[in-house]
Amino acid sequence: MRAASGAAFRAGTAAAALVIAGAAIILTLLIFGNFGSIVGLYEQLQTGALGGAALTIGQLALLPNLVIWLASWLIGPGFAIGTGSSVSPIGTDLGPLPGLPLFGVIPSGGFVFGLVGVLVPLAAGFLAAVLLRSQIAEARAKHGLGWLFLTALGMGIVAGIELGLLAWWSSGAIGPGRLHDVGPNPWLVGSIAAAEVAVAAIIGLVAGGRARR
């Protein structure tokens, strides 16, 4: 149990980090891909040079939240920008958005790649399991297939807890009224992430053992 929990903690944390890294890369691509829309929103606000600089600094502080929101979108539950709104792989239902140019990366009809984005947490769990194989070869041979399932389950739980906590940290209120409800649902993010990472990790660990035999 001690060996399984240690391996699960390391690999589960690696899977969560890979999901966040994937979300950061995709957000960067979205910013460059929607640069025209972002500039257009800046022009509509007419804040001037000083106001534009202050607005940009404020949005830079919001970037970590946006990365976690996009990670929640990749996991499946998505996020809200206002009570009753939803941005998820299934579809996007948005009301009036706050006047932040960075929100120009959110298209009204949802992201183009749709459900393909859900492959990111699955790939993260699989890759973390692959990286773990060489570290647990002796324990796997000693304890058998059940130990692999236990380790994969632990990876899912660790990744789910960490991503759920990040989702909780990134959610909250950014204004009065309907803007009191902004961000992802941490319980949904954590539970779905745990299931996705655990399933992918089982495949990665079991497939690795079969390949070596």
Side-chain angles (χ1 to χ4, degrees):
M1 289 294 293
R2 187 164 53 249
S5 60
F9 179 79
R10 293 193 303 272
T13 301
L18 287 170
V19 172
I20 295 298
I25 293 171
I26 293 173
L27 179 61
T28 302
L29 295 175
L30 287 172
I31 290 174
F32 281 105
N34 295 275
F35 190 73
S37 300
I38 295 173
V39 171
L41 290 172
Y42 266 107
E43 293 174 348
Q44 291 178 18
L45 292 174
Q46 297 180 351
T47 56
L50 185 59
L55 184 60
T56 301
I57 293 173
Q59 290 181 108
L60 289 175
L62 187 64
L63 274 178
N65 296 64
L66 290 178
V67 170
I68 297 170
W69 294 359
L70 184 54
S72 302
W73 188 94
L74 295 171
I75 291 166
F79 57 94
I81 304 181
T83 303
S85 66
S86 175
V87 182
S88 73
I90 299 175
T92 298
D93 182 15
L94 287 174
L97 290 176
L100 292 177
L102 199 54
F103 284 160
V105 302
I106 304 174
S108 58
F111 294 113
V112 177
F113 44 88
L115 291 172
V116 177
V118 181
L119 294 175
V120 172
L122 294 174
F126 182 84
L127 182 58
V130 169
L131 296 174
L132 184 65
R133 285 177 193 166
S134 60
Q135 303 177 29
I136 62 171
E138 182 179 347
R140 180 179 59 246
K142 181 178 179 181
H143 300 292
L145 192 61
W147 192 86
L148 292 183
F149 280 93
L150 181 63
T151 304
L153 178 62
M155 285 176 58
I157 292 173
V158 170
I161 290 174
E162 292 177 349
L163 290 168
L165 287 174
L166 287 173
W168 170 77
W169 170 78
S170 70
S171 60
I174 60 173
R178 64 186 301 273
L179 294 180
H180 187 74
D181 183 18
V182 175
N185 183 318
W187 295 104
L188 281 177
V189 171
S191 58
I192 296 177
E196 291 173 343
V197 170
V199 169
I202 289 173
I203 296 172
L205 292 174
V206 173
R210 288 181 177 276
R212 268 186 295 276
R213 284 195 296 274

